[in-house]
């Protein structure tokens, strides 16, 4: 037997099952990473149908072929269902087609069905080859050259219904589409005092329905994992009427495709509509979102996620031994990790079984992540009024600081509703810490925050003021005057600094000796104790959609765009948007810029234009270098590009701080606020006075003592000492077309 090679000969990549936005980004990442390692890649067009059929459906892919697919929805290499692949004969034919191309490693991007099929194929591989040899279809030598099939799976599915990954490729984009539709419906529904019933996708999984309800002002939601209680019809009508009576001008009921009652009988959008129409005595309309949810350009997150997953898939195929078990490459928290593929498929099927046997509590638990918590938070926020409270009426306040971050309004809305529901008085501080010192503090009511979840900007205002000693004294006075028992600081760099100042001075002023909690809200993602901050996802989507347009503007010219993005001293926005837009080069404050690197980059780019490149893209973080400004770099590239290309400067500016918050930012702002309220609640009821920073750490929401703040930030730069995304720095080098 010949020696087993340590790297795969060639890799095949296919997209299977329902199409999902971001699949192209994954294919691109597979092609570029393989090219980086000098491995050939073949695209298997039309999924397993192409694998079984072979011929022209299996084609070599070069980096140039994936140059312009990152921003495209759907899948350019096609997807199809294949009955033949379900048979051994079909899989034998597939094995033959692969070995004849020298392919003995596969990256399969699809749902649990596709991945289960791929795993079976891998297990049968040597048997299939033996049958092919015996039938005289392939030679023994060829079979010996490929003793194992290596397999890595990525989940491409809009449903987000797979174990082994917190997010599937395509789910975030689908949420974007749903939320755009729900936001639009809210405005028309409000104009006519109407009720809408909206059906969203999700036959077995309520993720899209649940999260889109949490991210909008939906009044009711029906999902498969949580069939409503027996008297649900009456309850829903009562709730909607109660909403009307407190001034809600419209109601939206979100129904997942697979919604059913406790006896397993389907609940359709039409049933809900008819019921509401009878009860409310008004026109109730249905909107079935359908395939719109699959379509459109992939979100920034899906592009980044798919890129990262595709990269790791090839890295694993490259590094693992050929007989290593198949891996599912997924996201856990903020980290891309590999887990045994078959275990993930089995766990996913287990959830389906639980649903079938009506073990709904088990199904929700098995969904993991924040599913159960999201259900609980949504239940409270959707109410028409707070529940009668037994707890002591603590007085808690919420304040913003730093630049505006999309999601701030969602946080205040959640603080008001979740606080009131616990029986607290909730105070909104206007205009940041300056407003706190000025006593610009207002008691909030349930309906004061109606509709805020979808609004960009910051209704209660924010600024970058950090109090000095005089300011601290004034703030202490106002905290005492308003009897504030606990404070939530939902903000960015200035907010954290201000919070720490209050914390530091708590020994001087009794009024400051109260529990404080910071939550990360800044587009820059530059605050400590959290790997991710709310607002940055919206900013990334804004950058990505602007860059898509900028690229399109260069149809008839050969051009390099130098795009400047925000971030102060933190390169996060530039790094992620660079990956999500397929930038040729990214300049970051963490690296700085040297004349040497500029010279190398302009030469490398010229080389690529000589080879046929038409549009170049450089993303420069605003704080990358004081001398080598965006203007300077543009002038340099323009001159050095000579006949090959011209260069144009694009400073994206404040659009990055504005816009309607993305689904992720709305949902996270809500969930994080719920945690902050929980924290204050615990502290207040136990007499605690801790100061804390809430953040994502290794995939979980954790609190860090505010006392550690100074040790977690750089001395001379506005960024944390540790930045998780920095670990993936090398991705930018591999992902250049
Ligand atoms: P998804 O991947 O989205 O779950 P499907 O379940 O329809 O979608 O599967 C897509 C394709 O994967 C099928 O058309 C079939 O070719 C293949 N497939 C699914 N399950 C199996 C299986 N158990 N054995 C072999 N092939 C399968």
């Amino acid at each position: 037997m010949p020696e087993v090679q340590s790297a795969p000969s060639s890799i095949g990549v296919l997209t299977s099952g329902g199409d999902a936005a971001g699949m192209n980004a994954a294919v691109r990442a597979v092609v570029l990473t393989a090219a980086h390692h000098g491995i050939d890649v073949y695209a298997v067009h039309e999924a397993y149908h192409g694998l079984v059929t072979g011929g022209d459906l299996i084609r070599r892919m070069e980096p140039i072929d994936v140059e312009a697919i990152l921003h495209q929805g759907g899948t350019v290499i096609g997807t199809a269902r294949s009955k033949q692949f379900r048979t051994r004969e079909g899989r034998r034919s597939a094995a033959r087609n692969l070995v004849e191309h020298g392919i003995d490693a596969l990256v399969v991007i699809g749902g649990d069905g596709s991945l289960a099929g791929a795993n079976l194929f891998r297990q049968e591989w040597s048997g299939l080859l033996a049958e092919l040899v015996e039938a005289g279809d392939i030679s023994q030598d060829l079979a010996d050259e490929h003793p194992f099939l290596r397999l890595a799976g990525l989940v491409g599915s809009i449903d987000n219904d797979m174990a082994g990954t917190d997010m599937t490729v395509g789910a975030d984009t689908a949420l974007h589409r749903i939320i755009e539709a729900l936001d639009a419906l809210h405005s028309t529904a409000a104009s006519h005092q109407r009720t809408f019933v909206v059906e969203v996708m999700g036959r077995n999984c309520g993720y899209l329905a649940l999260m889109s309800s949490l991210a909008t002002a939906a009044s009711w939601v029906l999902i498969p994992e949580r069939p409503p209680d027996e008297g649900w019809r009456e309850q829903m009508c009562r709730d909607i009427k109660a909403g009307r009576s407190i001034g809600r001008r419209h109601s939206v009921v979100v129904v997942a495709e697979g919604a059913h009652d406790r006896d397993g009988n389907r609940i359709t959008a039409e049933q809900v509509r008819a019921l509401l129409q009878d009860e409310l005595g008004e026109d109730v309309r249905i909107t079935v979102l359908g395939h719109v949810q699959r379509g459109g350009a992939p979100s920034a997150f899906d592009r980044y996620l798919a890129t990262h997953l595709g990269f790791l898939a090839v890295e694993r195929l490259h590094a693992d031994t050929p007989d290593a078990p198949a891996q599912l490459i997924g996201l856990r928290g903020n980290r891309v990790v590999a887990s045994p593929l078959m275990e993930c498929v089995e766990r996913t099927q287990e959830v389906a079984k639980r649903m079938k046997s009506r073990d709904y509590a088990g199904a929700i638990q098995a969904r993991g992540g924040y599913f159960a918590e999201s259900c609980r938070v949504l239940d409270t926020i959707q109410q028409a009024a707070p529940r009668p409270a037994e707890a002591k009426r603590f007085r808690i306040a919420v304040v913003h600081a730093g630049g505006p971050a999309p999601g701030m309004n969602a946080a205040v809305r959640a603080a008001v509703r979740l606080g009131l529901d616990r029986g607290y008085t909730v105070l909104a501080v206007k205009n940041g810490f300056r407003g706190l010192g000025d006593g610009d503090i207002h008691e909030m009511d349930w309906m004061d925050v109606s509709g805020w979840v979808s609004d960009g900007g910051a209704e209660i205002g924010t600024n970058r003021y950090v109090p000095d000693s005089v300011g601290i004294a004034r703030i202490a006075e106002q905290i005492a005057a308003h009897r504030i028992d606990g404070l939530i600081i939902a903000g960015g760099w200035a907010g954290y600094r201000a919070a720490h100042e209050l914390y530091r001075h708590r020994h001087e002023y009794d009024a400051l000796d109260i529990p404080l909690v910071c939550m990360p809200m800044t587009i820059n993602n530059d605050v400590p104790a959290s790997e991710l901050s709310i607002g940055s996802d919206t900013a990334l989507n804004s950058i990505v959609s602007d860059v898509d347009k900028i690229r399109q503007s260069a149809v008839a010219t050969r051009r390099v765009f130098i795009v400047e993005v925000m971030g102060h001293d933190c390169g996060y926005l530039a790094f992620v948007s660079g990956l999500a837009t397929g930038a040729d080069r990214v300049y970051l404050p963490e690296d700085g810029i040297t004349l040497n690197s500029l010279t190398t980059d302009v030469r490398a780019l010229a080389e690529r234009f000589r080879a046929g490149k038409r549009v170049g893209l450089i993303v420069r973080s605003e704080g990358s270098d004081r001398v080598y400004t965006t203007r300077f770099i543009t002038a340099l590239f323009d001159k050095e590009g000579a006949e090959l290309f011209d260069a144009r400067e694009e400073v994206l500016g404040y659009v990055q701080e504005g816009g309607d918050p993305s689904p992720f930012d709305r949902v996270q702002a809500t969930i994080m606020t719920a945690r902050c309220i929980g924290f204050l609640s615990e502290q207040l009821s136990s007499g605690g006075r801790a100061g804390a920073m809430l953040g994502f750490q290794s995939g979980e929401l954790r609190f860090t003592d505010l006392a550690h703040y100074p040790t977690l930030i750089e001395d001379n730069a506005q960024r944390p000492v540790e930045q998780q995304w920095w670990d993936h720095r090398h991705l930018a080098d591999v992902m250049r077309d």
Side-chain angles (χ1 to χ4, degrees):
M1 202 161 141
E3 222 178 83
V4 173
Q5 297 166 2
S6 59
S9 322
S10 299
I11 293 178
V13 58
L14 60 90
T15 53
S16 175
D19 66 308
M23 281 180 159
N24 289 327
V27 170
R28 173 178 175 271
V30 168
V31 171
L32 296 180
T33 312
H36 182 75
H37 288 296
I39 304 171
D40 292 344
V41 180
Y42 288 83
V44 181
H45 294 256
E46 311 306 331
Y48 293 128
H49 170 69
L51 209 56
V52 173
T53 312
D56 196 34
L57 291 176
I58 303 180
R59 294 202 290 272
R60 265 293 290 279
M61 265 197 140
E62 303 284 351
I64 190 89
D65 300 321
V66 293
E67 201 179 23
I69 66 169
L70 183 58
H71 63 285
Q72 291 184 33
T75 162
V76 294
I77 61 171
T79 175
R81 314 263 176 206
S82 165
K83 278 198 182 132
Q84 275 176 296
F85 192 72
R86 289 181 185 271
T87 67
R88 192 168 173 98
E89 203 186 342
R91 294 192 291 276
R92 193 161 54 231
S93 165
R96 176 182 175 167
N97 287 325
L98 287 186
V99 287
E100 283 180 346
H101 284 88
I103 302 168
D104 54 13
L106 271 185
V107 178
V108 174
I109 306 159
D112 62 332
S114 306
L115 299 179
N119 195 61
L120 177 67
F121 184 47
R122 176 189 165 276
Q123 282 167 347
E124 292 176 347
W125 180 257
S126 55
L128 295 171
L129 293 197
E131 287 164 27
L132 288 167
V133 172
E134 203 174 299
D137 289 336
I138 62 168
S139 70
Q140 185 65 49
D141 284 351
L142 187 60
D144 289 347
E145 276 170 36
H146 307 287
F148 301 101
L149 177 71
R150 303 173 208 224
L151 175 63
L154 317 186
V155 195
S157 156
I158 69 164
D159 288 341
N160 203 26
D161 56 352
M162 181 90 190
T165 188
D166 290 351
M167 281 299 271
T168 57
V169 171
D172 184 61
T173 304
L175 262 186
H176 274 262
R177 294 297 96 80
I178 296 170
I179 275 158
E180 282 155 17
L182 286 177
D183 284 352
L185 277 181
H186 276 294
S187 51
T188 165
S191 312
H192 297 280
Q193 287 226 23
R194 226 173 230 160
T195 297
F196 276 91
V197 180
V198 181
E199 184 188 291
V200 304
M201 281 186 171
R203 273 200 202 113
N204 303 308
C205 182
Y207 177 85
L208 293 175
L210 176 64
M211 294 306 164
S212 59
S213 298
L214 203 56
T216 60
S219 308
W220 246 73
V221 62
L222 290 154
I223 57 172
E225 292 87 342
R226 212 171 53 140
D229 292 332
E230 219 150 82
W232 70 271
R233 292 178 180 80
E234 296 75 23
Q235 187 62 45
M236 180 175 67
C237 295
R238 261 201 308 274
D239 286 352
I240 288 183
K241 281 182 189 159
R244 279 290 160 79
S245 69
I246 53 156
R248 277 187 187 147
R249 285 188 55 82
H250 63 283
S251 315
V252 172
V253 176
V254 176
V255 184
E257 248 180 330
H260 53 82
D261 65 18
R262 294 214 158 250
D263 299 322
N265 305 310
R266 262 200 79 195
I267 302 176
T268 64
E270 174 50 34
Q271 287 165 2
V272 175
R273 186 201 65 78
L275 177 69
L276 288 174
Q277 185 147 314
D278 286 349
E279 280 296 316
L280 301 176
E282 63 178 41
D283 222 12
V284 178
R285 302 287 170 92
I286 292 191
T287 299
V288 179
L289 294 183
H291 278 75
V292 165
Q293 296 162 84
R294 285 195 187 281
S299 67
F301 176 82
D302 271 327
R303 297 182 197 198
Y304 177 63
L305 173 70
T307 299
H308 209 154
L309 297 179
F311 166 79
L312 188 63
V314 176
E315 288 296 306
R316 288 303 295 251
L317 292 177
H318 182 244
D320 285 353
T321 56
D323 57 345
Q327 297 292 311
L328 182 133
I329 316 296
L331 185 75
R332 197 131 353 113
N334 289 329
R335 284 159 212 273
V336 170
V337 292
S339 344
L341 183 132
M342 220 34 227
E343 272 175 35
C344 301
V345 171
E346 277 160 14
R347 267 167 46 216
T348 307
Q349 290 166 350
E350 181 59 36
V351 182
K353 264 194 224 144
R354 284 189 193 184
M355 298 267 289
K356 256 204 180 125
S357 64
R358 301 193 188 157
D359 170 14
Y360 299 118
I364 288 193
Q365 203 188 1
R367 285 270 179 250
Y370 300 120
F371 204 93
E373 187 175 10
S374 299
C375 289
R376 282 196 304 275
V377 170
L378 180 63
D379 285 345
T380 304
I381 284 189
Q382 280 185 335
Q383 291 165 181
R387 284 173 293 192
E390 290 152 25
K392 178 172 176 280
R393 286 184 67 86
F394 292 116
R395 295 167 64 83
I396 60 167
V398 55
V399 63
H400 297 315
M408 281 181 158
N409 293 324
V412 176
R413 168 185 182 253
V416 168
R417 297 218 165 148
L418 298 171
L420 289 176
D421 195 60
R422 284 181 187 250
Y424 302 164
T425 301
V426 183
L427 305 161
V429 179
K430 298 242 168 114
N431 301 319
F433 282 83
R434 199 175 284 288
L436 189 55
D438 293 343
D440 200 354
I441 299 165
H442 305 265
E443 190 172 334
M444 301 292 280
D445 209 353
W446 193 266
M447 286 304 283
D448 290 342
V449 289
S450 178
W452 281 27
V453 66
S454 50
D455 292 343
E459 288 288 331
I460 64 169
T462 180
N463 56 46
R464 295 191 169 82
Y465 169 75
V466 178
D468 54 12
S469 54
V470 177
I472 295 281
R474 282 166 55 88
I475 287 172
E477 216 172 274
Q478 292 299 335
I479 287 182
H482 286 85
R483 292 178 288 114
I484 294 173
D485 297 312
L487 184 61
I488 298 176
I489 299 108
W493 191 259
Y496 278 59
R497 277 188 57 207
H500 187 252
E501 284 304 300
L502 298 195
Y503 186 76
R504 244 170 26 98
H505 287 86
R506 53 174 44 202
H507 305 298
E508 291 164 41
Y509 302 96
D510 281 352
L512 298 185
D513 200 13
I514 56 171
L516 305 174
V517 60
C518 299
M519 58 188 272
M521 300 207 83
T522 160
I523 66 163
N524 296 334
N525 196 25
D526 60 356
V527 290
S530 187
E531 291 163 1
L532 213 57
S533 68
I534 297 159
S536 54
D537 183 59
T538 307
L540 284 170
N541 279 293
S542 160
I543 296 170
V544 162
S545 85
D546 281 352
V547 171
D548 282 353
K549 288 178 207 143
I550 290 167
R551 269 188 189 277
Q552 283 163 3
S553 74
V555 277
T557 45
R558 288 171 163 249
R559 185 160 283 175
V560 174
F561 292 100
I562 321 291
V563 175
E564 180 182 298
V565 303
M566 284 184 165
H568 276 281
D569 297 336
C570 170
Y572 176 80
L573 283 180
F575 175 71
V576 179
S577 66
L579 282 173
T581 54
D584 297 286
R585 181 76 162 94
V586 182
Y587 294 128
L588 306 172
E590 288 82 355
D591 288 325
I593 305 177
T594 63
L595 189 56
N596 255 347
S597 65
L598 287 173
T599 313
T600 312
D601 293 341
V602 79
R603 285 197 185 132
L605 210 53
E607 202 50 54
R608 291 202 202 148
F609 272 83
R610 249 178 237 118
K613 191 176 178 70
R614 301 202 56 85
V615 183
L617 175 67
I618 309 252
V619 176
R620 179 184 177 279
S621 182
E622 61 182 359
S624 298
D625 195 274
R626 268 187 298 153
V627 177
Y628 300 129
T629 59
T630 305
R631 179 145 302 172
F632 177 96
I633 296 173
T634 309
L636 179 82
F637 275 67
D638 198 44
K639 174 144 197 305
E640 297 297 318
E643 304 297 304
L644 287 168
F645 57 79
D646 58 18
R648 290 286 184 276
E649 173 188 5
E650 280 293 341
V651 178
L652 296 185
Y654 288 100
V655 290
Q656 296 161 82
E657 284 186 343
D660 294 344
S662 68
F664 179 87
D665 283 335
R666 297 181 195 192
V667 169
Q668 294 308 326
T670 306
I671 297 292
M672 273 204 175
T673 306
R675 292 286 180 105
C676 288
I677 297 273
F679 174 85
L680 290 185
S681 196
E682 245 169 56
Q683 292 292 316
L684 291 170
S685 48
S686 66
R689 292 182 299 279
M693 298 172 280
L694 175 61
F696 292 97
Q697 287 168 27
S698 310
E700 279 179 35
L701 283 174
R702 295 207 181 121
F703 292 99
T704 303
D705 194 331
L706 192 53
H708 297 152
Y709 169 78
T711 62
L712 298 174
I713 54 168
E714 294 273 3
D715 285 338
N716 302 314
Q718 189 171 312
R719 61 176 175 254
V721 176
E722 275 184 34
Q723 303 195 88
Q724 187 244 339
W725 61 270
W726 188 249
D727 298 346
H728 312 304
R729 180 79 186 80
H730 53 287
L731 259 179
D733 299 325
V734 179
M735 290 306 147
R736 292 178 202 175
D737 292 331

